[in-house]
């Protein structure tokens, strides 16, 4: 070589007397190379001090070494909900282990949906991690039709066919309500998540299941929907108090909604937990800084992100099987209950 130019796959191929495809196969550990050709390529790599890059690998594998984390939410939602930050930490940490780049894509309108579809169609990413899955969302089906490896955070329904990583939403919610019943609460309201999402339906199912298990009638007037945001928690709490002023506890299906509920209870001079006990879901950083500190169901969000990334990496690198994993939850008792 002359000068300080970095050696390329072309220069390695020329030195070894083979084609670039053969060099790529050696770099990627393919068996489709003769022992003699492999020895010559390895000798050339050592002599030239060649460092393979993603472009070289892509000649054979057609891989980009990049995956997309697709979140169909607004920037304000992304910034205000601790769930997303924890999930991104988990995903990026796991992808770093395999040298895979992460592309964050917000899909808020049809133009951005079209942009994602184009990226998939032109294979600018090797796979997709999809968050905030709604029942009628067409994205999972589109990705599946295109044959792109996809892993969901959560699932669309109990019959989900794609790979996913989920938390034990129903079990965690049931544990929260059992805790409140065990503290002598008898009028336990719930602020649900969106019912077009499996996570919202599952946490409501847990509320029902704990009542049934205890032989306590689940009063439907104690159910008020939210959308996982703080504002929806406050609004739902206000409506619940207007409709059922004798309620003595509330299980909010997210910590953010519990924060909104606490603010509304404070505004209405209801003491927590003396008058109304409050339990959330997630155990985000918010839970430790509310007044009083929030009892909540801990879900391992970073582990959820790491597991999603590892499943996708296994599929894209090793043609691994689809996997469907449910992670356990744990009740964390603090002063709000």
């Amino acid at each position: 070589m002359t000068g300080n130019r970095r050696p390329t796959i072309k220069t390695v191929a020329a030195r070894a007397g083979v084609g670039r495809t053969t060099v790529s196969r050696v770099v990627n550990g393919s068996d489709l190379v003769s022992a003699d050709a492999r020895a010559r390529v390895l000798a050339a790599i050592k002599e030239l001090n060649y460092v393979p890059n993603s472009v070289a690998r892509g000649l054979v594998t057609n891989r980009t070494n990049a995956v997309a984390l697709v979140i169909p939410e607004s920037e304000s939602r992304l910034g205000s909900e601790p769930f997303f930050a924890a999930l991104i930490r988990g995903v990026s940490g796991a992808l770093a282990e395999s040298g895979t780049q992460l592309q964050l894509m917000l899909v808020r309108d049809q133009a951005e949906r079209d942009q994602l579809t184009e990226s998939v169609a032109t294979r600018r990413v090797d796979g997709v991690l999809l968050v905030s899955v709604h029942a009628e969302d067409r994205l999972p089906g589109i990705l599946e039709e295109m044959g792109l490896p996809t892993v969901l955070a959560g699932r669309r329904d109990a019959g989900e066919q794609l790979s996913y990583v989920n938390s034990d939403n129903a079990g965690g919610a049931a544990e929260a309500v059992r805790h409140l019943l065990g503290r002598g609460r008898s009028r336990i309201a719930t602020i649900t998540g969106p019912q077009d999402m499996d996570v919202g339906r599952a946490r409501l199912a847990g509320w029902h299941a704990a009542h049934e298990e205890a032989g306590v009638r689940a009063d439907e007037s104690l159910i008020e929907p939210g959308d996982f945001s703080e504002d929806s928690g406050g609004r739902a709490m206000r409506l619940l108090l207007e409709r059922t002023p004798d309620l003595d506890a509330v299980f909010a299906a997210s910590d953010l909604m519990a924060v909104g509920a606490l603010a509304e209870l404070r505004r209405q001079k209801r003491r927590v937990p003396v008058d109304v006990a409050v339990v959330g879901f997630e155990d985000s950083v918010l839970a430790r800084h509310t007044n009083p500190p929030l009892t909540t169901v801990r879900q391992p969000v970073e582990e959820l992100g790491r597991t999603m990334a590892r499943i996708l990496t296994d599929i894209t690198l090793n043609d691994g099987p689809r996997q469907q994993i449910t992670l356990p939850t744990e009740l964390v008792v603090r002063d709000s209950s």
Side-chain angles (χ1 to χ4, degrees):
M1 287 187 60
T2 60
N4 295 318
R5 292 176 58 192
R6 177 179 173 180
T8 66
I9 193 171
K10 183 177 180 180
T11 53
V12 171
R15 181 64 59 90
V18 299
R20 286 182 293 172
T21 298
T22 299
V23 176
S24 293
R25 285 175 175 160
V26 172
V27 166
N28 287 282
S30 171
D31 293 331
L32 303 176
V33 182
S34 69
D36 175 63
R38 185 184 305 279
R40 282 186 284 137
V41 169
L42 291 174
I45 287 174
K46 182 177 181 181
E47 182 181 345
L48 296 171
N49 196 27
Y50 169 68
V51 179
N53 59 36
S54 59
V55 175
R57 294 189 191 98
L59 290 176
V60 165
T61 65
N62 199 30
R63 294 187 68 248
T64 64
N65 287 324
V67 300
L69 174 59
V70 178
I71 303 177
E73 301 286 358
S74 65
E75 295 102 324
S76 59
R77 196 75 178 260
L78 184 67
S80 65
E81 296 194 18
F83 172 85
F84 294 119
L87 186 82
I88 292 169
R89 282 197 302 273
V91 167
S92 61
L95 290 178
E97 296 171 5
S98 62
T100 303
Q101 293 181 325
L102 175 64
Q103 297 180 13
L104 179 61
M105 301 183 70
L106 301 184
V107 179
R108 296 154 294 191
D109 54 30
Q110 188 58 46
E112 290 177 340
R113 185 179 294 266
D114 292 342
Q115 182 181 0
L116 170 63
T117 303
E118 181 186 352
S119 292
V120 169
T122 56
R123 285 299 193 268
R124 290 203 288 268
V125 293
D126 297 325
V128 169
L129 302 166
L130 185 56
V131 184
S132 293
V133 182
H134 295 259
E136 300 305 317
D137 193 341
R138 294 178 55 247
L139 268 180
I142 291 171
L143 296 171
E144 187 173 27
E145 288 171 8
M146 290 183 167
L148 192 75
T150 302
V151 181
L152 309 180
R155 60 188 187 180
R156 287 169 287 182
D157 53 48
E160 182 62 71
Q161 296 299 305
L162 294 175
S163 293
Y164 67 78
V165 183
N166 205 14
S167 294
D168 183 8
N169 294 300
E175 187 176 8
V177 177
R178 280 195 294 268
H179 165 73
L180 291 167
L181 289 167
R183 293 290 174 96
R185 309 292 169 155
S186 59
R187 297 280 288 162
I188 303 171
T190 184
I191 302 172
T192 76
Q195 292 303 289
D196 67 339
M197 298 181 73
D198 180 77
V199 58
R201 295 191 300 272
R203 292 177 188 176
L204 177 57
W207 179 85
H208 277 289
H211 280 86
E212 182 178 351
E213 177 187 294
V216 176
R217 185 178 74 88
D219 185 347
E220 299 294 313
S221 69
L222 290 167
I223 301 173
E224 188 63 35
D227 63 7
F228 292 136
S229 69
E230 182 177 349
D231 286 346
S232 75
R235 181 172 59 253
M237 191 73 256
R238 183 174 66 255
L239 293 172
L240 284 166
L241 290 170
E242 289 173 0
R243 188 166 63 240
T244 54
D246 62 337
L247 66 84
D248 59 8
V250 60
F251 163 60
S254 77
D255 285 353
L256 261 183
M257 292 196 298
V259 168
L262 286 169
E264 182 61 25
L265 288 166
R266 191 159 48 247
R267 192 181 71 81
Q268 298 204 24
K269 306 268 191 305
R270 299 289 187 106
R271 297 168 297 170
V272 177
V274 178
D275 300 324
V276 180
V278 179
V279 178
F281 201 114
E282 186 178 334
D283 194 29
S284 66
V285 66
L286 296 173
R288 295 183 287 280
H289 300 289
T290 56
N291 182 23
L294 183 66
T295 293
T296 184
V297 178
R298 176 181 294 153
Q299 64 169 343
V301 181
E302 285 196 40
E303 180 60 28
L304 191 150
R306 283 193 295 270
T307 305
M308 289 176 66
R310 286 168 182 160
I311 291 174
L312 187 61
T313 299
D314 184 46
I315 294 172
T316 58
L317 287 179
N318 307 315
D319 197 23
R322 291 184 178 181
Q323 297 183 53
Q324 298 181 336
I325 295 175
T326 299
L327 301 177
T329 57
E330 175 190 3
L331 184 70
V332 179
V333 179
R334 298 192 179 97
D335 295 342
S336 69
S337 64

